[in-house]
Amino acid sequence: MKKINICFDKVKKDCFKFIKSQETSTEKFNNKNRMLKAFLIPMCFWILKKTNNKKPYFVGFAGGQGTGKTTISSIVKIILEKYFKLKVFKISIDDFYKTRKEREALSKKVHPMLMTRGVPGTHDVQMMLNFFKKAKSNNFKKIELPDFNKAIDDRSPKKYWYNLKEKPDVVIFEGWCVGAKAESNKTLKKSINSLEKTNDQKLLWRKYVNQQLKTNYKKLYSQLNCMIYLKAKNFELLQKWRLKQEHKLWLNKKRVSRNKIMNKGDVINFMQTYQRITENMFKKMPKYASIVLNLNSNHQIKSAVYKRK
């Protein structure tokens, strides 16, 4: 406990400053001290033990839409850098989405629903594999990585891309479907929402997405050294949180036209493309994640379960 308190004293200013930047007038973070002391700082000590100075330690960080994975993983990055003096690089699987042009071609070739970014099959897996390989290489060279702009639903111009100039000690790779596994063909047959029922009657979309998980994404996720999973109680809660997130975007957007922000109907439709994999992760991920952070209905971490090796 003493070590945790020392760490807390060193990082609280930076962590609280970041948390404040994520708050709105109506949405405040509660129990910040407890979140750091009981869950995030101990998790950082755990990550530290796993690192070595030869290769970066790849942390997969997953959670359904709206769980707060980007915020939590950003705080973890602050702690690892500030207190443990580690070089940490954080990137989202979202940054590796295929371009609009590539998704348009995919939507014509396979299924129209693949125009919508999000599900496995809409990312550039080869680009991610190349990044993992280069980051682990003994002969490290500068790596340029994409930045995806959701407001335009396409990659940002190259001048806004990430430049990774030195080999990191830790790579945090976050995203809603990071670490997801394929389902059996049997469970694919039943539609789980109106979007699937109406737009994927022949199962082409869900079979394609599932096949991607079985092959390309399985290869990609096997490269991760550990998985941290933020687990919500159910999909309805995720919808509620995601709607709040969209409202926050609406409040914060200054430069981007507000008509780029999704309304309630848009969010619910968009999330239906995520539902199948998200619900499958609810069932399966706790069995193989290294750490499961269970969230209560107030959006706070209520417990952490570490997998016994």
Side-chain angles (χ1 to χ4, degrees), residues 102-163:
E102 287 167 338
R103 280 179 285 126
E104 203 173 317
L106 193 64
S107 73
K108 286 172 184 169
K109 188 181 169 187
V110 183
H111 192 284
M113 278 170 71
L114 290 165
M115 184 65 210
T116 304
R117 59 178 161 82
V119 293
T122 62
H123 306 89
D124 190 330
V125 176
Q126 196 50 55
M127 192 185 256
M128 291 186 272
L129 285 168
N130 290 343
F131 157 51
F132 283 24
K133 190 180 175 183
K134 285 177 186 173
K136 291 174 182 179
S137 167
N138 292 329
N139 184 24
F140 183 88
K141 288 174 184 165
K142 189 178 85 169
I143 308 173
E144 200 177 42
L145 295 164
D147 169 85
F148 193 87
N149 184 341
K150 290 177 183 176
I152 59 167
D153 193 27
D154 211 345
R155 281 187 196 149
S156 301
K158 279 205 168 186
K159 63 179 177 179
Y160 298 115
W161 284 25
Y162 297 94
N163 267 311

Side-chain angles (χ1 to χ4, degrees), residues 66-82:
T67 47
K69 62 192 169 296
T70 306
T71 301
I72 299 289
S73 57
S74 298
I75 296 167
V76 167
K77 181 179 188 283
I78 290 167
I79 299 166
L80 290 172
E81 288 178 335
K82 179 85 180 173

Side-chain angles (χ1 to χ4, degrees), residues 145-203:
L145 295 164
D147 169 85
F148 193 87
N149 184 341
K150 290 177 183 176
I152 59 167
D153 193 27
D154 211 345
R155 281 187 196 149
S156 301
K158 279 205 168 186
K159 63 179 177 179
Y160 298 115
W161 284 25
Y162 297 94
N163 267 311
L164 185 53
K165 290 173 182 168
E166 55 181 338
K167 183 181 276 197
D169 300 305
V170 176
V171 172
I172 297 174
F173 185 63
E174 61 101 349
W176 76 274
C177 65
V178 170
K181 293 192 175 182
E183 327 175 31
S184 70
N185 286 332
K186 198 171 111 184
T187 58
L188 281 180
K189 287 174 186 172
K190 190 184 174 191
S191 300
I192 61 162
N193 56 41
S194 58
L195 192 78
E196 285 189 359
K197 200 172 183 178
T198 309
N199 297 352
D200 188 36
Q201 291 174 1
K202 293 180 181 174
L203 279 64

Side-chain angles (χ1 to χ4, degrees), residues 109-298:
K109 188 181 169 187
V110 183
H111 192 284
M113 278 170 71
L114 290 165
M115 184 65 210
T116 304
R117 59 178 161 82
V119 293
T122 62
H123 306 89
D124 190 330
V125 176
Q126 196 50 55
M127 192 185 256
M128 291 186 272
L129 285 168
N130 290 343
F131 157 51
F132 283 24
K133 190 180 175 183
K134 285 177 186 173
K136 291 174 182 179
S137 167
N138 292 329
N139 184 24
F140 183 88
K141 288 174 184 165
K142 189 178 85 169
I143 308 173
E144 200 177 42
L145 295 164
D147 169 85
F148 193 87
N149 184 341
K150 290 177 183 176
I152 59 167
D153 193 27
D154 211 345
R155 281 187 196 149
S156 301
K158 279 205 168 186
K159 63 179 177 179
Y160 298 115
W161 284 25
Y162 297 94
N163 267 311
L164 185 53
K165 290 173 182 168
E166 55 181 338
K167 183 181 276 197
D169 300 305
V170 176
V171 172
I172 297 174
F173 185 63
E174 61 101 349
W176 76 274
C177 65
V178 170
K181 293 192 175 182
E183 327 175 31
S184 70
N185 286 332
K186 198 171 111 184
T187 58
L188 281 180
K189 287 174 186 172
K190 190 184 174 191
S191 300
I192 61 162
N193 56 41
S194 58
L195 192 78
E196 285 189 359
K197 200 172 183 178
T198 309
N199 297 352
D200 188 36
Q201 291 174 1
K202 293 180 181 174
L203 279 64
L204 292 175
W205 174 76
R206 65 194 97 156
K207 278 184 175 175
Y208 179 81
V209 172
N210 202 51
Q211 187 58 27
Q212 290 293 312
L213 279 176
K214 221 175 257 185
T215 53
N216 297 335
Y217 287 72
K218 186 180 179 182
K219 185 182 176 185
L220 176 71
Y221 298 150
S222 71
Q223 309 271 316
L224 298 168
N225 297 110
C226 76
M227 269 307 309
I228 296 168
Y229 181 51
L230 276 167
K231 187 178 184 297
K233 283 182 179 177
N234 54 48
F235 193 74
E236 288 70 37
L237 255 185
L238 292 182
Q239 284 181 319
K240 185 180 155 189
W241 293 343
R242 184 63 178 79
L243 285 164
K244 277 188 178 178
Q245 204 179 53
E246 206 65 26
H247 181 65
K248 196 161 106 177
L249 275 177
W250 192 88
L251 291 172
N252 291 341
K253 286 292 176 196
K254 292 182 179 75
R255 287 177 301 123
V256 178
S257 162
R258 282 183 173 172
N259 63 16
K260 302 281 186 189
I261 310 296
M262 289 191 269
N263 62 34
K264 187 177 179 178
D266 292 337
V267 170
I268 287 167
N269 279 340
F270 183 56
M271 284 192 74
Q272 284 191 1
T273 64
Y274 288 59
Q275 188 172 352
R276 176 174 291 280
I277 293 169
T278 301
E279 293 194 347
N280 199 34
M281 287 174 82
F282 281 155
K283 289 183 219 135
K284 292 187 175 179
M285 188 66 98
K287 294 172 189 168
Y288 59 86
S290 315
I291 304 168
V292 177
L293 299 172
N294 292 301
L295 303 175
N296 64 20
S297 49
N298 294 324

